Amino acid sequence: MNKGIVYLVGAGPGDPKLITVRGLECLKRSDVVVYDRLASPRLLRHVKEGARKIYVGKLPDRHTMKQEEINQLLVDLALEGHTVTRLKGGDPTIFGRVGEEAELLQDNGISFEIVPGITSAIAVPAYAGIPVTHRDLASSLSIITGHESPDKLDRSIHWDKVTNATGTLIFLMGVAKIGYIAEQLIRHGKPAHTPVALIRWGTRVEQETIVGTLESIERIVKEANFQPPAVIVVGEVVLQREKLKWYEQKPLFGARVLVTRARAQASDLADRIEELGGEPCELPVIETREPKDEAVVASIRTALAEAEQYDWIMFTSVNGVDYFFNWLARFDVDIRRFHAARIAAVGPKTAEALRKRGLGVVQLPAKFQAEGMLEQLDSELKTGDKVLLPRGDLAREILPRELSGRGLLPVELDVYETVLADDQDEQALDWIRNREIHAITFTSSSTVTNLLELLKRKGIEDPAGHLAGIAIASIGPLTTQTAEEAGLTVTIEPEEATIDALVEALVQHQINIRLNV
């Protein structure tokens, strides 16, 4: 068997988008990923299907796997012929023990590559509004471990030289030793009033920053019960924070938002949340697919074969548009055969999907739901008109019922079906179990029912009760009705049933929380 290769990859400080392009390439091609707790779990979504994920992270009071065991694990995996990514928080060469891992790989004749990452020593202060150098304040910096016991710190750090060697001092992993570190810096010449900042979980939704001086910082840390992991910054550059704390000013900063849409549709909402400073947690609970029932497929073929007979085609979702055109291609039906039909759409996204295919729609309804479309088109609908309704198997019955009541001839076409998604993110489920989600977004009734069903299957007996106190964001009244009937309390509902309006409502909710409104 040929030997594999090991990529020793820096994952960056926490924000998953701060991984390098090369690091992401390695992650995507790997058969096995060996990762620790400082690497964002969201990066694991880029791993190819079937790849193994092995957690070897360390906690302050517990080591999941000793470093020597990790070293040997990488060797064993590569000897089995696997392509392996060792994913490490920050940069692997800065207190990441990458030298030990690479040395054993070299001794065993295994190819490896060290992929640098953005170090937390620089990125975390930057996210807290602290540039580690500044023309007027600091032209140099030192990066120092603060993780060792005091006696080891004294052996590894020459305090008399380090204290005043550079303008900025960065200590990594030193929260528990902050009092001793401050004491040594003062003893060796740093003024007691020197500014100090501690940034916990920097670049992530949990980011928290406290500021003091060398003489006060230990007391502040204890009073705040400030816990690791954190980066410690010592120097005048800390004073820049009041002007430059850009990340914490983002409107959704501090909010972890669960996105329950189908994976194919989730990225738009997730990207908006992330751009506004929140952390999207994707847990697709619905999956859309083509119907497999032969009778349903036959009915689609028959309906499309009668293309010239329709006076209207009414689309109620983007999915309806996408799957309708998939079926046209499958049965080789030219869209121009529907030349007699006028096209209507519920909502701007559905209309946009049609326009991208060169199809114009009649005027959009004021209410982006079936009732709104019927109200908008009331004067144009004629008795005897034949209406094609390409939609999902769970679509509401109000549209065909109302059309029939007005003397029209609706033809319902289940061009796709909605099912409970199989592939679930265990990290997202853990956040729900531990109530570490701040808001949940529902974009359809099926996302509500499927999430609750999923949680029941995962052992949460009373899902609605478990989610009590978490902000529930519903895209519109129909989804709200489903949620409330299931026992949830909806706290956020936009005036318009659109993703943009839903995001704006989330932002306003977060602002209200900060203002205690």
Side-chain angles (χ1 to χ4, degrees), residues 30-34 47-48 50-54 73 77 80 82:
S30 293
D31 306 310
V32 185
V33 178
V34 179
V47 175
K48 66 184 180 183
R52 291 171 58 193
K53 305 167 189 174
I54 303 175
L73 174 64
L77 291 169
E80 293 172 4
H82 298 299

Side-chain angles (χ1 to χ4, degrees), residues 369-390:
Q369 58 192 63
E371 292 89 337
M373 182 161 64
L374 288 170
E375 184 179 321
Q376 187 76 28
L377 300 177
D378 185 57
S379 62
E380 302 183 52
L381 299 176
K382 299 180 179 62
T383 300
D385 279 355
K386 192 170 184 178
V387 184
L388 186 62
L389 302 174

Side-chain angles (χ1 to χ4, degrees), residues 18-62:
L18 293 182
I19 193 171
T20 64
V21 172
R22 179 56 178 162
L24 195 59
E25 288 175 348
C26 297
L27 194 62
K28 289 178 177 179
R29 70 175 58 170
S30 293
D31 306 310
V32 185
V33 178
V34 179
Y35 67 102
D36 61 39
R37 75 167 181 147
L38 296 182
S40 171
R42 290 169 59 205
L43 287 172
L44 299 179
R45 289 205 300 270
H46 297 288
V47 175
K48 66 184 180 183
E49 186 176 353
R52 291 171 58 193
K53 305 167 189 174
I54 303 175
Y55 177 69
V56 296
K58 305 178 184 71
L59 296 172
D61 60 344
R62 173 174 60 86

Side-chain angles (χ1 to χ4, degrees), residues 63 86 137 145 226 282 308 324 360 363 398 413 506:
H63 282 212
R86 169 69 172 109
L137 302 174
T145 181
F226 200 80
E282 294 182 41
E308 293 82 3
F324 176 73
Q363 187 176 358
I398 186 170
L413 208 59
L506 275 169

Side-chain angles (χ1 to χ4, degrees), residues 57 82 126 129 164 179 239 250 255 264-265 323 357 366 377 429 431 468 475:
H82 298 299
N164 296 297
L239 299 177
K250 289 200 168 191
Q265 297 175 310
Y323 280 95
R357 292 173 167 86
L377 300 177
L429 290 168
W431 277 330
I475 197 167

Side-chain angles (χ1 to χ4, degrees), residues 308-329:
E308 293 82 3
Q309 299 180 21
Y310 297 105
D311 301 288
W312 289 92
I313 309 176
M314 295 184 179
F315 293 95
T316 56
S317 70
V318 174
N319 279 332
V321 175
D322 292 340
Y323 280 95
F324 176 73
F325 276 86
N326 289 345
W327 287 110
L328 289 182

Side-chain angles (χ1 to χ4, degrees), residues 125-167:
Y127 267 58
I130 303 172
V132 294
T133 63
H134 187 282
R135 185 174 65 176
D136 299 326
L137 302 174
S139 57
S140 58
L141 72 147
S142 299
I143 303 174
I144 310 157
T145 181
H147 192 51
E148 308 291 356
S149 60
D151 60 324
K152 288 186 178 180
L153 281 177
D154 288 341
R155 289 198 300 269
S156 61
I157 299 174
H158 299 288
W159 293 104
D160 57 331
K161 295 180 173 62
V162 165
T163 299
N164 296 297
T166 59

Side-chain angles (χ1 to χ4, degrees), residues 72-94:
Q72 189 60 49
L73 174 64
L74 298 177
V75 170
D76 293 343
L77 291 169
L79 289 176
E80 293 172 4
H82 298 299
T83 297
V84 182
T85 286
R86 169 69 172 109
L87 196 62
K88 306 165 77 73
D91 180 276
T93 66
I94 299 181

